[in-house]
Amino acid sequence: MREKQRKLQLPEKLRWNHNEWYRRWLLRQLPSRVGSALDVGCGLGDLARSLPADEVTAIDASARMIERASATTDRVRWIHGDVLTHDLGQYDLVTAEASLHHLPLREGLTRLAELTGPGGSLIVIGLYMTSTRADRAMELVTLPANAAVGLAKAIKGTGGKPHDAEMPVVMTAPTLPEIRAAAAEIVPGARIRRHVFWRYSLVWRAPEVH
C-alpha cells in the first residue's frame, strides 16, 4: 500500500460522512437470517449496532473507540484487540466498513476470510487509491456529486460531519487492481464493485463444507 493522494476538500460545512452513505447499501446485502456476526474495525459501533444477527461481536484496535462504543449498548460483545492476532473463532457474517485499509491488504483479507465460517458471508466496504484511467474518469462524476450531496445535507442541517474527531485516520489505501488481484487469490469468486465516493465493495460467500 502507499500514501493515498488527497482529494479536493470541500468547505467544512459541505463535508459529509461517506461511510454512513454506504452503510445502507451494506445492510441491504445481508442474508435474511444471520446467527453470528463480527464487525471488524467497528469504530464507534454504528454498523455493529445495526447488524440484525442473533449474536454480534465487534472488534477495534482503538481502546478509545471501544470505550465509547461499549457505553451505547450491551447487546454487542465489544473487544479491544488486534483482529490479526485475537482469538475470535468463525462467524456467519463478517463485515469491514472502511477498516481493511488499516491492515496489510493480503494479510488482512486472508484473516477476514478465515473468520468467515463455511457458507458465511464476508462484506467489505473499503477505500481505494485512484490509479487507473477508469478511476480518474469516475472522479469526473464523483467530485461534482460529492459537492451536490454535501450542499443538500448542509441545507438540511446534516452536513459538516465527515467523521468523528477521535476516529483513527490512515492516509493509505491499496489500488483497485491490487484489491482485485488479492481477492482472486484469497477469496476467489468474490464480487468487487467500484462505487462513486472513493469506495469499493467486496462480497464473498465462503464455500460450504461437504
Side-chain angles (χ1 to χ4, degrees), residues 83-95:
V83 69
L84 296 177
T85 58
H86 201 91
D87 185 8
L88 290 165
Q90 289 189 314
Y91 300 83
D92 300 321
L93 170 69
V94 175
T95 58

Side-chain angles (χ1 to χ4, degrees), residues 42-45 60-70 78 164-168:
C42 64
L44 292 173
D60 199 284
S62 168
R64 180 56 177 160
M65 291 294 102
I66 290 296
E67 178 187 5
R68 292 177 60 187
S70 62
W78 305 101
D164 188 273
E166 292 188 318
M167 190 78 72

